[in-house]
Amino acid sequence: MSVAVETTVSRVSLPLPTHFSHAEQSFSLKKRHVPFSLSSASTSSYSSPARLSHSLPPLPPSKGCPPLSRMFPQHQSPWTPLSCSLSKSPPPNSVYDPSKRQSYFSQCFTNLGLLGRGSFGEVYKVQSNEDGCQYAVKRSAHRFRGNGERIRSVREARNHERLCPHPHILNFVAAWEECGRLYIQTELCSTSLLLHAESQPPGPDEPAAWAYLCDLLSALQHLHSHGFVHLDLKPANVLITDSGRLKLADFGLLLELKQKSTESVEGKVREDVQEGDPRYMAPELLRGEYGPAADVFSLGVSILELACNIEVPNGGEGWQQLRQGCLPSEFTSGLSTELQAVLQMMLAPEPSERPTVSELLALPAVKKHRWKRRIYLIVAETVLTLASLCQLVVCFGCRLLSSLHLSFLPRWTKPVPCTPPKDSWDRDLTLPLSAMHADSGSPEEDAVFLLDPTDPELSPTFSHRVRSRLTMESTSTPLPGSPTHDHRSPAHTPTLSNLGDWSSCNLAHTPSSIHSNGTCHTLTPSVSPIHAELHSDSVNEKSTQSRLSSSARSSQRRGRSNWVTSEEALPRPSFEPKNLLSLFDETTLEGQP
Ligand SMILES: Nc1ncnc2c1ncn2[C@@H]1O[C@H](COP(=O)(O)OP(=O)(O)OP(=O)(O)O)[C@@H](O)[C@H]1O
């Protein structure tokens, strides 16, 4: 079935989101197909002094935390649990002792490094001192400025908790407030869907797009059936686990559609609702109509982007056309008629014309792909579990062998002290709580987050130094941003001049490898400060290049700084969703006459 693009739809331009007057209107630059190693520091927000000059002025001091006396030590803990999980079962006193001066975060976690940074805050990879498992902890970038902001943040955390557990929603663990900042502890994922998609080779990837569609429809069904709408669905807000399972995240704009009969939300302008990303925004949101259909539209745009490997426009003619039901046939013609039809339905201009999530899940094509997807995830997750079990057994065996072997050896040397000198423990453990009260809005003044003073994002000039070092180390490959590398050169930027209005859709996804998760590590329930320091040093050392690379690509693409570490050198499993799906396709084909 061919999907003819309807041109009879109204050509009346839609009003633009309020912040569009400040946004770029033209999106003709394509993503650069720069090798991963080259893209490192080129596009980070600190890559050039010119960029820095556009940065926002420092935030005014917030009033979220009472002023502290420098004369008298503060012993009162500013820690408040915000989630039911934490209120019901707080950590034992052996893990968190409120009478100690250290923050809740530093007592309960070992900080393993920065995973990424968004507009809301920073996300850290941590190891729990209570159960030894690894998690992600998201900390708001600045303190609550006013009660309204605090209420919104607390609501985000509580709503997130209410939505869990679900296999396609990022698993919530705990939330708390400390010194006027919100902390949300969640399961640790591998990376975001956006970064994962960017690491794939260029060109359409329909099997992967079907897999993403199935996972996200399942997540949306859960949300909508509980009376919520996400309102900010996009690849950057979807995380991906080691097995390739998608997890919907970022519930900052989540809206609860309360009893429609008494308090109608749809068709009513809500003043407290914030705008999401304009690239994925449904047209009716501009009229103040909030409903589940808006999520269906955003999911349609996301799948279009991922299936065709394009970057969708956030303004201009292409943006208008997409909201009038015109798909970019230059790109969608490579897709199957089934997927084209589904996308066309999801991107209907009128919310009432769009299918609901349940209707989409009932489509035969979606059902078929959902079934394959389920099998794939079961196999992938079983293999991963077996692999980590094997790793544990091997580790245990090695330790046993070495201890047996050593017991036969005469003790020639003095035993090496296995604990650090006391003063180093003291140094680490007496991080003053008052350090956390400084409202810098930056991690520099928060001793808990001081992992590596040479962290590139802490020092704009550092990325410069790293780039120089990288340039020296890889003289054969000129760095983007360096005089020898022009990332806008034709070699990296194929033209789209023949693509008419859809030239604003950029070819996407530079090849790279950004898998950053290290869940295969053998976990140590308690890590000594020295171990932690050594570990984090080496982690930061190893991850500097890759962090620069991935974040650079991300900021290049999105115009903001996302820092993703790839500190773990452990290999990721090589199977991917599309490999297994193609295996199924091959099997099906073989079975046919
Ligand atoms: N649970 C997690 N596991 C692994 N990585 C994560 C996790 N949560 C976030 N990240 C990484 O951190 C980055 C920034 O996080 P996130 O997008 O949630 O911050 P944000 O401030 O909400 O962003 P924004 O509001 O701009 O969308 C993500 O792009 C992702 O790479």
Short mmCIF file of all heavy atoms in Angstrom, two decimals, residues 4-35:
data_model
loop_
_atom_site.label_atom_id
_atom_site.label_comp_id
_atom_site.label_asym_id
_atom_site.label_seq_id
_atom_site.Cartn_x
_atom_site.Cartn_y
_atom_site.Cartn_z
N ALA A 4 0.09 8.02 0.00
CA ALA A 4 0.15 9.26 -0.76
C ALA A 4 0.13 10.43 0.20
O ALA A 4 -0.60 10.46 1.17
CB ALA A 4 -1.05 9.34 -1.69
N VAL A 5 0.96 11.38 -0.04
CA VAL A 5 1.01 12.55 0.83
C VAL A 5 -0.14 13.48 0.47
O VAL A 5 -0.30 13.89 -0.67
CB VAL A 5 2.36 13.29 0.66
CG1 VAL A 5 2.34 14.60 1.41
CG2 VAL A 5 3.48 12.40 1.13
N GLU A 6 -0.97 13.74 1.43
CA GLU A 6 -2.12 14.60 1.20
C GLU A 6 -1.67 16.05 1.13
O GLU A 6 -1.00 16.55 2.00
CB GLU A 6 -3.12 14.42 2.36
CG GLU A 6 -3.88 13.10 2.33
CD GLU A 6 -4.85 12.99 1.16
OE1 GLU A 6 -5.27 14.04 0.65
OE2 GLU A 6 -5.17 11.87 0.75
N THR A 7 -2.05 16.70 0.08
CA THR A 7 -1.68 18.11 -0.02
C THR A 7 -2.90 19.00 0.17
O THR A 7 -2.83 20.21 0.05
CB THR A 7 -1.06 18.40 -1.40
OG1 THR A 7 -1.96 17.90 -2.38
CG2 THR A 7 0.30 17.82 -1.54
N THR A 8 -4.03 18.33 0.46
CA THR A 8 -5.25 19.11 0.59
C THR A 8 -5.41 19.71 1.98
O THR A 8 -6.32 20.46 2.24
CB THR A 8 -6.47 18.20 0.32
OG1 THR A 8 -6.34 17.06 1.13
CG2 THR A 8 -6.56 17.82 -1.13
N VAL A 9 -4.48 19.31 2.88
CA VAL A 9 -4.61 19.81 4.25
C VAL A 9 -4.38 21.31 4.28
O VAL A 9 -3.75 21.88 3.41
CB VAL A 9 -3.61 19.12 5.20
CG1 VAL A 9 -4.04 17.71 5.47
CG2 VAL A 9 -2.22 19.22 4.66
N SER A 10 -4.89 21.86 5.30
CA SER A 10 -4.81 23.31 5.44
C SER A 10 -3.36 23.77 5.45
O SER A 10 -2.49 23.16 6.05
CB SER A 10 -5.49 23.71 6.75
OG SER A 10 -5.05 24.97 7.13
N ARG A 11 -3.07 24.83 4.77
CA ARG A 11 -1.70 25.36 4.70
C ARG A 11 -1.52 26.55 5.64
O ARG A 11 -0.55 27.28 5.56
CB ARG A 11 -1.39 25.79 3.28
CG ARG A 11 -1.26 24.63 2.32
CD ARG A 11 0.17 24.12 2.34
NE ARG A 11 0.20 22.80 1.74
CZ ARG A 11 1.25 22.03 1.75
NH1 ARG A 11 2.34 22.42 2.34
NH2 ARG A 11 1.24 20.86 1.21
N VAL A 12 -2.50 26.75 6.47
CA VAL A 12 -2.37 27.87 7.41
C VAL A 12 -1.25 27.55 8.40
O VAL A 12 -1.23 26.48 9.00
CB VAL A 12 -3.70 28.07 8.18
CG1 VAL A 12 -3.58 29.23 9.16
CG2 VAL A 12 -4.83 28.30 7.19
N SER A 13 -0.32 28.48 8.51
CA SER A 13 0.82 28.23 9.40
C SER A 13 0.37 28.19 10.85
O SER A 13 -0.49 28.97 11.27
CB SER A 13 1.86 29.34 9.25
OG SER A 13 2.41 29.23 7.98
N LEU A 14 0.97 27.26 11.59
CA LEU A 14 0.63 27.13 13.00
C LEU A 14 1.42 28.16 13.79
O LEU A 14 2.50 28.56 13.39
CB LEU A 14 0.99 25.72 13.48
CG LEU A 14 0.13 24.62 12.93
CD1 LEU A 14 0.83 23.29 13.10
CD2 LEU A 14 -1.21 24.59 13.65
N PRO A 15 0.85 28.58 14.92
CA PRO A 15 1.65 29.50 15.76
C PRO A 15 2.86 28.76 16.29
O PRO A 15 2.79 27.56 16.52
CB PRO A 15 0.68 29.87 16.89
CG PRO A 15 -0.34 28.78 16.90
CD PRO A 15 -0.44 28.26 15.51
N LEU A 16 3.94 29.47 16.44
CA LEU A 16 5.17 28.82 16.92
C LEU A 16 5.23 28.86 18.44
O LEU A 16 4.64 29.75 19.06
CB LEU A 16 6.40 29.55 16.36
CG LEU A 16 6.62 29.37 14.87
CD1 LEU A 16 7.74 30.26 14.41
CD2 LEU A 16 6.96 27.91 14.55
N PRO A 17 5.93 27.88 19.07
CA PRO A 17 6.10 27.94 20.52
C PRO A 17 6.75 29.25 20.93
O PRO A 17 7.51 29.83 20.15
CB PRO A 17 7.04 26.76 20.82
CG PRO A 17 6.93 25.88 19.63
CD PRO A 17 6.55 26.73 18.48
N THR A 18 6.45 29.67 22.15
CA THR A 18 6.86 31.02 22.57
C THR A 18 8.35 31.26 22.46
O THR A 18 8.77 32.34 22.12
CB THR A 18 6.43 31.28 24.03
OG1 THR A 18 6.85 30.17 24.81
CG2 THR A 18 4.94 31.46 24.14
N HIS A 19 9.16 30.22 22.74
CA HIS A 19 10.60 30.47 22.71
C HIS A 19 11.18 30.36 21.31
O HIS A 19 12.37 30.42 21.13
CB HIS A 19 11.32 29.53 23.67
CG HIS A 19 11.14 28.09 23.36
ND1 HIS A 19 10.06 27.38 23.81
CD2 HIS A 19 11.88 27.25 22.62
CE1 HIS A 19 10.16 26.15 23.38
NE2 HIS A 19 11.24 26.05 22.65
N PHE A 20 10.33 30.17 20.31
CA PHE A 20 10.85 30.04 18.95
C PHE A 20 11.48 31.32 18.43
O PHE A 20 12.32 31.28 17.55
CB PHE A 20 9.72 29.61 18.00
CG PHE A 20 9.71 28.15 17.76
CD1 PHE A 20 10.06 27.28 18.78
CD2 PHE A 20 9.36 27.63 16.53
CE1 PHE A 20 10.06 25.92 18.58
CE2 PHE A 20 9.36 26.28 16.32
CZ PHE A 20 9.70 25.42 17.34
N SER A 21 11.03 32.42 18.96
CA SER A 21 11.62 33.67 18.48
C SER A 21 13.12 33.69 18.73
O SER A 21 13.87 34.34 18.04
CB SER A 21 10.95 34.86 19.14
OG SER A 21 10.98 34.67 20.53
N HIS A 22 13.54 32.91 19.73
CA HIS A 22 14.97 32.87 20.05
C HIS A 22 15.65 31.67 19.39
O HIS A 22 16.86 31.58 19.40
CB HIS A 22 15.17 32.78 21.57
CG HIS A 22 14.45 33.84 22.30
ND1 HIS A 22 14.78 35.16 22.18
CD2 HIS A 22 13.39 33.78 23.13
CE1 HIS A 22 13.97 35.88 22.94
NE2 HIS A 22 13.10 35.06 23.52
N ALA A 23 14.88 30.77 18.87
CA ALA A 23 15.48 29.54 18.35
C ALA A 23 15.89 29.71 16.90
O ALA A 23 15.41 30.60 16.19
CB ALA A 23 14.49 28.40 18.47
N GLU A 24 16.75 28.82 16.47
CA GLU A 24 17.14 28.82 15.07
C GLU A 24 15.97 28.39 14.22
O GLU A 24 15.22 27.51 14.58
CB GLU A 24 18.25 27.78 14.89
CG GLU A 24 19.63 28.32 15.06
CD GLU A 24 20.66 27.26 14.76
OE1 GLU A 24 20.71 26.81 13.60
OE2 GLU A 24 21.36 26.88 15.68
N GLN A 25 15.80 29.03 13.10
CA GLN A 25 14.69 28.67 12.23
C GLN A 25 15.15 27.76 11.10
O GLN A 25 14.37 27.03 10.54
CB GLN A 25 14.07 29.95 11.63
CG GLN A 25 13.45 30.83 12.69
CD GLN A 25 12.23 30.20 13.34
OE1 GLN A 25 11.41 29.56 12.68
NE2 GLN A 25 12.11 30.33 14.64
N SER A 26 16.41 27.82 10.74
CA SER A 26 16.87 27.04 9.61
C SER A 26 17.66 25.84 10.11
O SER A 26 18.49 25.97 11.01
CB SER A 26 17.75 27.93 8.74
OG SER A 26 18.69 27.16 8.08
N PHE A 27 17.40 24.70 9.52
CA PHE A 27 18.08 23.49 9.98
C PHE A 27 18.70 22.77 8.82
O PHE A 27 18.40 21.62 8.56
CB PHE A 27 17.11 22.59 10.76
CG PHE A 27 16.66 23.24 12.00
CD1 PHE A 27 15.59 24.10 12.00
CD2 PHE A 27 17.38 23.06 13.15
CE1 PHE A 27 15.21 24.73 13.15
CE2 PHE A 27 17.00 23.69 14.31
CZ PHE A 27 15.91 24.54 14.30
N SER A 28 19.51 23.46 8.10
CA SER A 28 20.05 22.87 6.89
C SER A 28 21.34 22.11 7.14
O SER A 28 21.74 21.33 6.29
CB SER A 28 20.29 23.95 5.84
OG SER A 28 21.08 24.94 6.42
N LEU A 29 21.97 22.33 8.28
CA LEU A 29 23.23 21.61 8.53
C LEU A 29 22.94 20.16 8.85
O LEU A 29 22.13 19.83 9.70
CB LEU A 29 23.96 22.22 9.72
CG LEU A 29 24.75 23.48 9.47
CD1 LEU A 29 25.47 23.89 10.72
CD2 LEU A 29 25.73 23.27 8.34
N LYS A 30 23.61 19.27 8.16
CA LYS A 30 23.44 17.85 8.45
C LYS A 30 24.34 17.45 9.59
O LYS A 30 25.29 18.14 9.90
CB LYS A 30 23.86 17.03 7.23
CG LYS A 30 22.92 17.14 6.09
CD LYS A 30 23.49 16.28 5.02
CE LYS A 30 22.65 16.33 3.79
NZ LYS A 30 23.21 15.49 2.76
N LYS A 31 24.04 16.30 10.12
CA LYS A 31 24.97 15.75 11.10
C LYS A 31 26.25 15.39 10.39
O LYS A 31 26.22 14.91 9.28
CB LYS A 31 24.38 14.51 11.76
CG LYS A 31 23.50 14.88 12.85
CD LYS A 31 22.94 13.65 13.43
CE LYS A 31 21.53 13.94 13.79
NZ LYS A 31 20.63 13.87 12.66
N ARG A 32 27.33 15.60 11.07
CA ARG A 32 28.61 15.30 10.44
C ARG A 32 28.98 13.86 10.62
O ARG A 32 28.87 13.33 11.73
CB ARG A 32 29.70 16.20 11.04
CG ARG A 32 29.56 17.60 10.57
CD ARG A 32 30.30 18.51 11.45
NE ARG A 32 29.59 18.69 12.70
CZ ARG A 32 30.13 19.28 13.73
NH1 ARG A 32 31.34 19.70 13.68
NH2 ARG A 32 29.45 19.43 14.83
N HIS A 33 29.41 13.28 9.55
CA HIS A 33 29.82 11.87 9.63
C HIS A 33 31.30 11.81 9.97
O HIS A 33 32.14 11.50 9.16
CB HIS A 33 29.50 11.15 8.33
CG HIS A 33 28.03 11.04 8.15
ND1 HIS A 33 27.32 9.94 8.53
CD2 HIS A 33 27.14 11.93 7.68
CE1 HIS A 33 26.04 10.14 8.28
NE2 HIS A 33 25.90 11.35 7.76
N VAL A 34 31.58 12.21 11.19
CA VAL A 34 32.96 12.24 11.65
C VAL A 34 33.24 10.97 12.43
O VAL A 34 32.42 10.57 13.25
CB VAL A 34 33.16 13.46 12.59
CG1 VAL A 34 34.61 13.61 12.98
CG2 VAL A 34 32.65 14.72 11.92
N PRO A 35 34.38 10.34 12.17
CA PRO A 35 34.69 9.14 12.96
C PRO A 35 34.66 9.49 14.43
O PRO A 35 34.97 10.59 14.84
CB PRO A 35 36.10 8.75 12.51
CG PRO A 35 36.29 9.43 11.23
CD PRO A 35 35.41 10.64 11.22
#
